[in-house]
Every structure is written in C-alpha cells, then in structure tokens.
Amino acid sequence: MSGASTPGSGASGGNSSGPRRYRDVRALPVGAPPDAVWRAVLDQVEVLGRPSWYVWLIGCRDRRAQGPRPLRPGSVVPGFRVTAADPPARLVLDGVHRFSVYTLTFRLLPDDGGTRLEAHTDATFPGVLGAVYRLLVIDSGIHKIATRSIVTRVRRRTGLT
C-alpha cells in the first residue's frame, strides 16, 4: 500500500504566523472496477461521522446526515459536507470544527483492471487550540491510521481485493 505524504506535508506555505497546513495522501489498489469502488466509497462515507459524540465534542459544523442521497453536492454526513461529486472518479468532502478546516477528497483512478483509490487530506489548524489538536491527531499519527483504515474498509466493501 502506498501511503507517503505529499511534498510539503505540514508546511505552512508562506507566513509562519498563519495556521500550518497539513496535506496527506493514502492510496490503495482495489481489484474492482471504478463503479463498484464508487459505491463502496459512498457507503463508507455515510458512516464517517461515527461515533456521533466525537462530532459533537469537537464542534463540527455538520452534525447530522441530511440532504440528497446518493451523496452529491448538498449532501451532509456528520463532520462533512459534499461539495463535489463526479461519479465514479471524485468525491470531495469539506468540513469545519472548532480546531480545523479540512477537505477529504476521494479519487478513483483506473489501474490494471482495477481501481487505485486515493484519499487526499488537506487541512489547516488555526489558533492555539488548532495547534494542540494537530499535535494530538496529526503529529501523533492517528489521522494516518484512521485514513488508512477508511481506504481499507472501502476495499473490503467491494468484496474484492
């Protein structure tokens, strides 16, 4: 499994007094066609905001599932708002909570009879509390483990590897 961070991961990109930006990509080959992987991504995204107490605790803007299904722009899952959906190639989720502003983008690329699934994270952590949250969740490695788990669960949902 490929899981290297993109160049500049953690770099602030400019003024050092602003919030530090975090960028990461978790990628995984899935032995299923893009349409099957797309359905698995949608199913997995529907459960991303669990447990719900965590979404409430960190003060997510979006706390309840609402909007159109299947997921498309305007849909909300706890912790995320769908801002773009290009089936079966790209799903963009944006989120805001009291410690971070973030985007999670799933990209599905045809790959040797299967699909390469990529989960791109782009986040900033404003203020002192954002810096503490980043230390606890990003710098500790918890986020990489969680994102790797998401792409692994998508692969399992396809029933193929």
Side-chain angles (χ1 to χ4, degrees), residues 26-50:
R26 301 286 108 192
L28 174 70
V30 180
D35 286 336
V37 178
W38 179 259
R39 287 189 301 276
V41 166
L42 295 181
D43 289 346
Q44 185 60 45
V45 166
E46 289 284 5
V47 300
L48 281 181
R50 295 185 187 156

CSV table of all heavy atoms in Angstrom, one decimal, residues 26-50:
chain,number,residue,atom,x,y,z
A,26,ARG,N,-3.4,8.9,1.2
A,26,ARG,CA,-3.4,7.4,1.4
A,26,ARG,C,-3.9,6.8,0.2
A,26,ARG,O,-5.0,7.2,-0.3
A,26,ARG,CB,-4.3,7.1,2.6
A,26,ARG,CG,-3.9,7.7,3.9
A,26,ARG,CD,-2.7,7.1,4.6
A,26,ARG,NE,-1.6,8.1,4.5
A,26,ARG,CZ,-0.4,7.9,4.7
A,26,ARG,NH1,0.0,6.6,5.1
A,26,ARG,NH2,0.5,8.8,4.7
A,27,ALA,N,-3.2,5.8,-0.4
A,27,ALA,CA,-3.6,5.2,-1.6
A,27,ALA,C,-3.6,3.7,-1.5
A,27,ALA,O,-2.8,3.2,-0.8
A,27,ALA,CB,-2.8,5.7,-2.8
A,28,LEU,N,-4.4,3.0,-2.3
A,28,LEU,CA,-4.5,1.6,-2.2
A,28,LEU,C,-5.1,1.0,-3.5
A,28,LEU,O,-6.1,1.6,-4.0
A,28,LEU,CB,-5.5,1.3,-1.0
A,28,LEU,CG,-5.9,-0.1,-0.7
A,28,LEU,CD1,-4.8,-0.9,-0.1
A,28,LEU,CD2,-7.0,0.1,0.4
A,29,PRO,N,-4.5,0.0,-4.1
A,29,PRO,CA,-5.2,-0.6,-5.2
A,29,PRO,C,-6.4,-1.5,-4.8
A,29,PRO,O,-6.3,-2.1,-3.8
A,29,PRO,CB,-4.0,-1.5,-5.8
A,29,PRO,CG,-3.2,-1.8,-4.6
A,29,PRO,CD,-3.3,-0.7,-3.7
A,30,VAL,N,-7.4,-1.4,-5.6
A,30,VAL,CA,-8.6,-2.2,-5.3
A,30,VAL,C,-8.9,-3.0,-6.5
A,30,VAL,O,-9.0,-2.5,-7.6
A,30,VAL,CB,-9.8,-1.3,-4.9
A,30,VAL,CG1,-11.1,-2.1,-4.6
A,30,VAL,CG2,-9.5,-0.4,-3.8
A,31,GLY,N,-9.0,-4.3,-6.4
A,31,GLY,CA,-9.3,-5.2,-7.5
A,31,GLY,C,-10.7,-5.2,-8.0
A,31,GLY,O,-11.3,-6.3,-8.1
A,32,ALA,N,-11.3,-4.0,-8.2
A,32,ALA,CA,-12.7,-3.9,-8.6
A,32,ALA,C,-12.8,-2.7,-9.5
A,32,ALA,O,-12.0,-1.8,-9.4
A,32,ALA,CB,-13.6,-3.7,-7.4
A,33,PRO,N,-13.8,-2.7,-10.4
A,33,PRO,CA,-13.9,-1.6,-11.3
A,33,PRO,C,-14.4,-0.3,-10.6
A,33,PRO,O,-14.9,-0.4,-9.5
A,33,PRO,CB,-15.0,-2.1,-12.3
A,33,PRO,CG,-15.7,-3.2,-11.6
A,33,PRO,CD,-14.8,-3.8,-10.6
A,34,PRO,N,-14.1,0.8,-11.2
A,34,PRO,CA,-14.4,2.1,-10.5
A,34,PRO,C,-15.9,2.2,-10.1
A,34,PRO,O,-16.1,2.8,-9.0
A,34,PRO,CB,-14.1,3.2,-11.6
A,34,PRO,CG,-13.0,2.5,-12.4
A,34,PRO,CD,-13.4,1.1,-12.5
A,35,ASP,N,-16.8,1.7,-10.8
A,35,ASP,CA,-18.2,1.8,-10.4
A,35,ASP,C,-18.5,1.1,-9.0
A,35,ASP,O,-19.2,1.6,-8.2
A,35,ASP,CB,-19.2,1.3,-11.4
A,35,ASP,CG,-19.3,2.2,-12.6
A,35,ASP,OD1,-19.1,3.4,-12.5
A,35,ASP,OD2,-19.7,1.7,-13.7
A,36,ALA,N,-17.9,-0.1,-8.9
A,36,ALA,CA,-18.0,-0.8,-7.6
A,36,ALA,C,-17.3,-0.1,-6.5
A,36,ALA,O,-17.8,0.0,-5.4
A,36,ALA,CB,-17.5,-2.2,-7.8
A,37,VAL,N,-16.1,0.4,-6.8
A,37,VAL,CA,-15.4,1.2,-5.7
A,37,VAL,C,-16.2,2.5,-5.4
A,37,VAL,O,-16.2,2.8,-4.2
A,37,VAL,CB,-14.0,1.5,-6.2
A,37,VAL,CG1,-13.2,2.3,-5.1
A,37,VAL,CG2,-13.2,0.2,-6.5
A,38,TRP,N,-16.7,3.1,-6.3
A,38,TRP,CA,-17.5,4.3,-6.1
A,38,TRP,C,-18.7,4.0,-5.1
A,38,TRP,O,-18.9,4.8,-4.1
A,38,TRP,CB,-18.1,4.9,-7.4
A,38,TRP,CG,-18.9,6.1,-7.2
A,38,TRP,CD1,-20.3,6.2,-7.2
A,38,TRP,CD2,-18.5,7.4,-7.0
A,38,TRP,NE1,-20.7,7.5,-7.0
A,38,TRP,CE2,-19.6,8.3,-6.8
A,38,TRP,CE3,-17.2,8.0,-6.8
A,38,TRP,CZ2,-19.5,9.6,-6.6
A,38,TRP,CZ3,-17.1,9.4,-6.6
A,38,TRP,CH2,-18.3,10.2,-6.5
A,39,ARG,N,-19.4,2.9,-5.3
A,39,ARG,CA,-20.5,2.6,-4.4
A,39,ARG,C,-20.0,2.3,-3.0
A,39,ARG,O,-20.6,2.7,-2.0
A,39,ARG,CB,-21.2,1.4,-5.0
A,39,ARG,CG,-22.1,1.7,-6.2
A,39,ARG,CD,-23.0,0.5,-6.6
A,39,ARG,NE,-22.3,-0.7,-6.9
A,39,ARG,CZ,-21.8,-1.0,-8.1
A,39,ARG,NH1,-21.9,-0.1,-9.1
A,39,ARG,NH2,-21.2,-2.1,-8.3
A,40,ALA,N,-18.8,1.6,-2.9
A,40,ALA,CA,-18.2,1.4,-1.6
A,40,ALA,C,-17.7,2.6,-0.9
A,40,ALA,O,-17.9,2.8,0.3
A,40,ALA,CB,-17.0,0.4,-1.8
A,41,VAL,N,-17.2,3.6,-1.7
A,41,VAL,CA,-16.8,4.9,-1.1
A,41,VAL,C,-18.1,5.6,-0.5
A,41,VAL,O,-18.0,6.0,0.6
A,41,VAL,CB,-16.1,5.8,-2.1
A,41,VAL,CG1,-16.0,7.2,-1.6
A,41,VAL,CG2,-14.7,5.3,-2.5
A,42,LEU,N,-19.1,5.6,-1.3
A,42,LEU,CA,-20.4,6.3,-0.8
A,42,LEU,C,-20.9,5.6,0.5
A,42,LEU,O,-21.3,6.3,1.4
A,42,LEU,CB,-21.5,6.2,-1.9
A,42,LEU,CG,-21.2,7.1,-3.2
A,42,LEU,CD1,-22.4,6.9,-4.1
A,42,LEU,CD2,-20.8,8.5,-2.9
A,43,ASP,N,-20.9,4.3,0.5
A,43,ASP,CA,-21.3,3.5,1.7
A,43,ASP,C,-20.4,3.9,2.9
A,43,ASP,O,-20.9,4.1,4.0
A,43,ASP,CB,-21.3,2.0,1.4
A,43,ASP,CG,-22.4,1.6,0.5
A,43,ASP,OD1,-23.3,2.4,0.2
A,43,ASP,OD2,-22.3,0.4,0.0
A,44,GLN,N,-19.1,3.9,2.7
A,44,GLN,CA,-18.2,4.2,3.7
A,44,GLN,C,-18.3,5.6,4.2
A,44,GLN,O,-18.3,5.9,5.5
A,44,GLN,CB,-16.7,3.9,3.3
A,44,GLN,CG,-15.7,4.0,4.4
A,44,GLN,CD,-16.0,3.1,5.6
A,44,GLN,OE1,-16.3,1.9,5.4
A,44,GLN,NE2,-16.0,3.6,6.8
A,45,VAL,N,-18.5,6.6,3.3
A,45,VAL,CA,-18.6,8.0,3.7
A,45,VAL,C,-19.9,8.1,4.6
A,45,VAL,O,-19.8,8.9,5.6
A,45,VAL,CB,-18.6,8.9,2.5
A,45,VAL,CG1,-19.1,10.3,2.9
A,45,VAL,CG2,-17.3,8.9,1.9
A,46,GLU,N,-20.9,7.4,4.4
A,46,GLU,CA,-22.1,7.5,5.2
A,46,GLU,C,-21.9,7.2,6.7
A,46,GLU,O,-22.6,7.7,7.5
A,46,GLU,CB,-23.2,6.6,4.6
A,46,GLU,CG,-23.8,7.0,3.3
A,46,GLU,CD,-24.8,8.2,3.4
A,46,GLU,OE1,-25.0,8.8,4.5
A,46,GLU,OE2,-25.3,8.6,2.4
A,47,VAL,N,-20.8,6.5,7.0
A,47,VAL,CA,-20.6,6.1,8.4
A,47,VAL,C,-19.3,6.9,8.9
A,47,VAL,O,-18.9,6.6,10.1
A,47,VAL,CB,-20.4,4.6,8.6
A,47,VAL,CG1,-21.7,3.9,8.2
A,47,VAL,CG2,-19.2,4.0,7.9
A,48,LEU,N,-18.8,7.8,8.2
A,48,LEU,CA,-17.6,8.5,8.7
A,48,LEU,C,-17.8,9.3,10.0
A,48,LEU,O,-16.9,9.3,10.8
A,48,LEU,CB,-17.1,9.5,7.6
A,48,LEU,CG,-16.3,8.9,6.5
A,48,LEU,CD1,-15.9,10.0,5.5
A,48,LEU,CD2,-15.1,8.1,6.9
A,49,GLY,N,-18.9,9.8,10.2
A,49,GLY,CA,-19.1,10.7,11.4
A,49,GLY,C,-19.5,9.9,12.7
A,49,GLY,O,-20.0,10.5,13.6
A,50,ARG,N,-19.2,8.6,12.7
A,50,ARG,CA,-19.4,7.9,13.9
A,50,ARG,C,-18.1,7.7,14.7
A,50,ARG,O,-17.1,7.5,14.1
A,50,ARG,CB,-20.0,6.5,13.5
A,50,ARG,CG,-21.4,6.7,12.9
A,50,ARG,CD,-22.0,5.4,12.6
A,50,ARG,NE,-23.3,5.6,11.8
A,50,ARG,CZ,-23.8,4.7,11.1
A,50,ARG,NH1,-23.3,3.5,11.0
A,50,ARG,NH2,-24.9,5.0,10.4
